[in-house]
Amino acid sequence: MTFPYIRTMGTDVDAFLGQLARHLRPQVENLAGLLLRRLNGEAPELWEDPDIAALTLEETAQHVTALLDLLEARPGASAPEAPPTALDMGRLYARRGIPVSRLLRAYRLGHLSLLEQMQTEATRLTGDWHMIHLASMRLVALGFDYVDRSSEEVVAAHQEERDRLLQRRLVLTDRASKRIGTTLDVTRTAEELAEVCTEDFADLVTVDLFDSVLDETGGGSPEAPAQHRVAQHSVLDGCPESPLRVGETHAYPDDSEPVRALATGRSVLKHITGTEMPPWVAPSESHGRVLRDLGLHSVLLVPLHARGDTLGLAQFVRHRTSVPFDGDDLLLAQEIVSRAAVSIDNARRYTHERSTALTLQRTLLPRHTVRQSAVETASRYLPAGSRAGVGGDWYDVIPLSGARVALVVGDVVGRGLRAAATMGRLRTAVRAFADIDLMPDELLTHLDDVVIRMQREESPDEGETSATCLYAIYDPVSRRCSLASAGHVPPTVVTPSEISDALPEVPIGPPLGLGGLPFETAEFELPEDSLLVLHTDGLIAGRTRDVDRGLATLHDILTSAPDSLEEICDRLLAALLPGRPADDVALLVARTHALDPDHVATMDLPSDPAAVSGARRFASDVLATWGLDDLSFTTELVVSELVTNAIRYGKSPVQLRLILQSTLTCEVSDASSTAPHLRRARIYDEGGRGLLLVAQCAERWGTRHSREGKVIWAEQALPADSASIAEVT
């Protein structure tokens, strides 16, 4: 379009520029298009992102309009503020993680292009080159002023958005550190990771772990690519983006991005277009259509790596969030996943150690108690439900000579494998000491020495071994119970008629491992069908319940205790431990029985060798009464040898006692503390063969000591057709 020559005499530069602006205003869109075509060649990165490309045309038109407004303003007017779209562009660059320098370079290029267009149009309005020169100088000044001010505002918007994003990421990181790893449970930790990151970071998060990680027996690096989907969480109900469900096992295709990420340990940022849907994202065409409809556009793959082991893979997906993942998002995901991986590994190691300790604990505890006539028993063991792990609580029921039984409960201080192994060593020691029929206080003294020796074997960083123990012996013949405590809570005693108002006076000695302090045995009589309840302190004490209240609840339950001991155990645990216990619990409930007097025969003997024949006749008559004539020969031989030894080497008084229960027991007691022992007799020795004969005739034999002397005993098995005779009436 050609314009006539316009005289410039009396026309100032500002008026000319205003005329130029009015001339160009109808051509704003054309000017913006020309600028974009030039920018497309010199700054192609502006069109790499579709959101930025869509916003660039609108922003360029607003910049041209703003500059034309500046030219039409009165002389001396300041440069206008940057258009809103320019600020939006700065914020978008910040969200995409693009340096603001790229945007400023585009401004400079656009400014130069616009000046060239205006100079071209100025020559069409006038032929006065002096005016054109002055107008060009003013255009350059105004243009640079506008670009500088707009750039400052855009940089401020970019930095403000960067700060906001940084603050949001710091908040997310802080929230993740507080909410991920709250338990020592592998699955729950993975669920926490998925839940936290779908709040304002990703639209779908999935966590896959190798099956070896979930194996409680342990496991290091996986040998197979199979993974287990342990957790997933989506902003949409039902997780329609995921083809898998929690609990399913799967394997990614070979040579896929997830497999490479797991093999190399490197995270992957994958942008997905609408037509591109990798098989590892959409394993089927129908699922691919679902993902395309949702608008899935970017995925982060971050391996779970901790302490040299790759545990699995976490995926972060965006579809509802329009902004795709960028490099900063990848770094943020890596930081969160790294913390979660350590928590998962801690949970895995804890689960493995707990499982091993629990297996060891249960292996060392009695699987079933030997049925005998002294007591009827039921027991429970509950491992702790807290992070502390399996402890060293134990119980035991040990048959003793003379129809007696030992009831034991103990608690090793500490948690884990070491406590369980220590418990096993102490339980073995208790059984060994019980086998030589030690009194309760003597047994605890020897057990205290064992713990002290264990302490000497420990390294300083292992901590000091300590334990508590309660050892009780019940005799169904005398119905007396003798017990001693090494720092352990006393038992609860319940008689058939009522609960004792006060527990038996049981002196509580020091815990095992202190050394040099005495233990004391307490004795009391128990009526038949009494309940004797032994337990560790985890049953009655807790964080929200004191010991007195726990004991009161225990008494209330036993007031109306049912006949079934198993049901009694269940009621006690249900009332005292409604949830998982904070400490290990060992519970042993025993109902006492009394041996029928008709199954016990006693004879006092003088210290005269002639009394041996009378002892043999007494034994023969008793066996005839019990219907055990088949055992007469061996029993008379055992009685003869034991009575002879007691009269010859022991002290008065001497007593013979026969006990019929599940076995036939022959006991000879005297006031001497000297114990006989087996020895190999030489050819010409006149003695030394008596105990050898007893050992050959009896199933078991031994010696037990008391305050008054000793007892030599021997047990014989009953004939199969006579087993019913031993039943307690």
Side-chain angles (χ1 to χ4, degrees):
M1 180 178 181
T2 304
F3 292 90
Y5 176 78
I6 302 176
R7 290 183 177 274
T8 59
M9 187 66 65
T11 304
D12 58 12
V13 175
D14 293 325
F16 177 74
L17 291 178
Q19 182 182 5
L20 178 62
R22 288 188 295 273
H23 170 70
L24 293 175
R25 192 172 295 279
Q27 307 177 43
V28 168
E29 292 186 2
N30 292 334
L31 289 174
L34 292 172
L35 296 180
L36 290 179
R37 283 193 291 273
R38 180 171 181 178
L39 289 176
N40 189 26
E42 299 191 27
E45 65 272 7
L46 295 176
W47 279 261
E48 293 177 356
D49 189 305
D51 292 336
I52 293 178
L55 197 60
T56 299
L57 178 60
E58 181 181 358
E59 182 204 17
T60 303
Q62 289 186 4
H63 278 304
V64 173
T65 300
L67 189 56
L68 294 180
D69 291 341
L70 180 61
L71 296 180
E72 284 191 284
R74 65 182 184 274
S78 60
E81 295 181 353
T85 308
L87 302 181
D88 293 339
M89 183 70 81
R91 298 186 186 100
L92 184 58
Y93 267 57
R95 290 194 294 272
R96 294 294 193 269
I98 304 174
V100 72
S101 58
R102 292 189 183 181
L103 186 58
L104 299 182
R105 177 172 177 267
Y107 285 168
R108 291 193 298 272
L109 292 174
H111 177 223
L112 292 175
S113 299
L114 183 59
L115 288 180
E116 291 175 359
Q117 293 295 327
M118 287 185 172
Q119 286 176 339
T120 301
E121 293 299 327
T123 60
R124 296 179 182 179
L125 293 179
T126 180
D128 187 345
W129 291 104
H130 179 65
M131 177 61 69
I132 293 174
H133 173 72
L134 293 177
S136 298
M137 294 295 291
R138 179 65 61 85
L139 278 174
V140 171
L142 292 175
F144 275 110
D145 184 40
Y146 173 76
V147 169
D148 289 344
R149 181 165 181 174
S150 298
S151 297
E152 289 177 1
E153 294 177 3
V154 170
V155 169
H158 182 279
Q159 187 60 43
E160 180 182 356
E161 185 68 12
R162 289 286 298 170
D163 292 342
R164 189 186 67 82
L165 292 174
L166 179 59
Q167 181 65 27
R168 183 178 67 85
R169 287 165 178 166
L170 290 175
V171 170
L172 178 59
T173 303
D174 180 67
R175 185 167 64 243
S177 65
K178 293 178 180 178
R179 292 175 51 186
I180 298 176
T182 59
T183 67
L184 283 172
D185 182 86
V186 172
T187 300
R188 181 55 195 152
T189 303
E191 291 173 349
E192 291 168 344
L193 170 62
E195 292 168 359
V196 168
C197 291
T198 49
E199 291 182 357
D200 56 2
F201 180 70
D203 299 324
L204 169 69
V205 178
T206 67
V207 181
D208 298 325
L209 297 179
F210 289 109
D211 288 338
S212 58
V213 177
L214 302 173
D215 186 2
E216 292 188 355
T217 61
S221 299
E223 298 179 356
Q227 296 188 65
H228 195 80
R229 177 63 54 85
V230 294
Q232 60 185 18
H233 198 266
S234 171
V235 295
L236 304 176
D237 294 336
C239 288
E241 316 96 313
S242 174
L244 299 173
R245 292 294 173 261
V246 173
E248 292 186 24
T249 300
H250 68 101
Y252 290 106
D254 295 338
D255 200 32
S256 62
E257 280 86 348
V259 171
R260 286 195 292 271
L262 290 169
T264 62
R266 297 176 182 174
S267 301
V268 175
L269 168 57
K270 178 72 174 179
H271 290 125
I272 300 174
T273 63
T275 58
E276 177 195 13
M277 205 59 70
W280 57 271
V281 175
S284 65
E285 181 59 32
S286 60
H287 191 68
R289 287 194 296 271
V290 172
L291 296 182
R292 281 190 288 270
D293 292 341
L294 291 174
L296 186 146
H297 54 74
S298 57
V299 179
L300 296 178
L301 303 175
V302 183
L304 289 150
H305 197 75
R307 299 184 179 96
D309 288 338
T310 300
L311 309 179
L313 184 70
Q315 292 190 51
F316 302 84
V317 177
R318 279 184 180 174
H319 52 79
R320 190 173 68 176
T321 303
S322 60
V323 179
F325 288 119
D326 57 23
D328 288 341
D329 291 325
L330 181 60
L331 294 175
L332 176 61
Q334 288 175 329
E335 181 178 356
I336 295 175
V337 170
S338 177
R339 296 186 181 188
V342 173
S343 296
I344 289 175
D345 190 54
N346 290 339
R348 173 180 69 122
R349 292 168 179 263
Y350 163 78
T351 301
H352 171 53
E353 180 174 339
R354 175 182 168 82
S355 176
T356 304
L358 187 57
T359 301
L360 176 61
Q361 179 91 328
R362 287 176 172 166
T363 302
L364 296 174
L365 289 174
R367 299 183 181 180
H368 56 82
T369 57
V370 179
R371 186 177 180 182
Q372 32 74 42
S373 57
V375 294
E376 175 190 358
T377 62
S379 58
R380 294 288 188 275
Y381 170 74
L382 270 70
S386 65
R387 295 187 179 188
V390 177
D393 293 18
W394 91 92
Y395 63 88
D396 210 345
V397 180
I398 308 172
L400 302 177
S401 63
R404 299 168 308 133
V405 64
L407 305 174
V408 190
V409 66
D411 185 0
V412 176
V413 176
R415 293 289 183 273
L417 285 172
R418 181 170 174 270
T422 301
M423 177 275 290
R425 296 173 68 181
L426 294 184
R427 178 173 178 258
T428 302
V430 169
R431 280 188 161 261
F433 295 142
D435 194 52
I436 58 177
D437 273 322
L438 293 177
M439 293 288 290
D441 57 332
E442 296 175 356
L443 183 143
L444 293 181
T445 300
H446 286 284
L447 194 62
D448 188 42
D449 293 337
V450 171
V451 174
I452 292 174
R453 285 196 295 272
M454 293 170 62
Q455 291 174 350
R456 293 171 181 167
E457 298 170 357
E458 296 166 349
S459 60
D461 57 343
E462 288 180 338
E464 190 172 275
T465 299
S466 181
T468 65
C469 182
L470 179 70
Y471 185 81
I473 297 176
Y474 174 69
D475 187 347
V477 178
S478 63
R479 294 186 288 106
R480 294 195 64 80
C481 179
S482 57
L483 57 86
S485 170
H488 204 86
V489 292
T492 300
V493 177
V494 179
T495 64
S497 57
E498 60 181 3
I499 296 181
S500 304
D501 293 334
L503 292 176
E505 292 296 332
V506 179
I508 300 179
L512 300 172
L514 295 182
L517 299 173
F519 300 98
E520 186 176 347
T521 296
E523 292 191 5
F524 50 92
E525 187 174 322
L526 289 176
E528 188 175 5
D529 291 332
S530 295
L531 287 177
L532 194 61
V533 181
L534 288 72
H535 55 82
T536 53
D537 56 2
L539 180 68
I540 58 174
R543 289 188 294 266
T544 60
R545 183 183 65 247
D546 59 20
V547 174
D548 292 337
R549 183 177 177 183
L551 288 174
T553 304
L554 177 65
H555 281 212
D556 292 341
I557 296 172
L558 295 178
T559 302
S560 57
D563 293 335
S564 170
L565 296 185
E566 298 292 338
E567 188 175 346
I568 291 176
C569 291
D570 293 338
R571 287 190 183 183
L572 289 174
L573 295 180
L576 294 169
L577 301 170
R580 298 185 67 181
D583 192 9
D584 284 29
V585 174
L587 172 65
L588 179 61
V589 179
R591 176 175 283 119
T592 64
H593 298 302
L595 196 62
D596 190 332
D598 293 338
H599 288 191
V600 180
T602 304
M603 180 181 185
D604 294 326
L605 300 170
S607 296
D608 184 356
V612 176
S613 59
R616 287 199 300 267
R617 286 193 302 272
F618 172 78
S620 178
D621 293 341
V622 170
L623 293 184
T625 302
W626 289 344
L628 298 175
D629 298 280
D630 293 343
L631 297 180
S632 291
F633 177 77
T634 55
T635 303
E636 288 184 29
L637 178 60
V638 170
V639 167
S640 178
E641 295 300 332
L642 295 183
V643 171
T644 299
N645 278 343
I647 293 175
R648 179 177 297 179
Y649 304 109
K651 297 179 181 179
S652 296
V654 178
Q655 186 184 74
L656 168 65
R657 186 169 73 165
L658 300 176
I659 301 174
L660 175 61
Q661 49 156 1
S662 56
T663 60
L664 175 64
T665 303
C666 174
E667 297 182 346
V668 176
S669 62
D670 67 86
S672 172
S673 60
T674 303
H677 61 277
L678 282 175
R679 65 182 179 89
R680 182 180 297 277
R682 293 186 293 271
I683 296 177
Y684 298 107
D685 286 350
E686 295 183 0
R689 299 178 179 83
L691 286 181
L692 179 61
L693 293 175
V694 171
Q696 296 299 314
C697 294
E699 278 197 340
R700 294 195 313 146
W701 77 278
T703 304
R704 69 173 181 267
H705 294 267
S706 65
R707 303 284 192 269
E708 295 78 19
K710 68 177 183 295
V711 177
I712 312 298
W713 55 270
E715 291 182 357
Q716 300 178 71
L718 299 179
D721 57 353
S722 302
S724 60
I725 301 176
E727 294 182 0
V728 178
T729 58

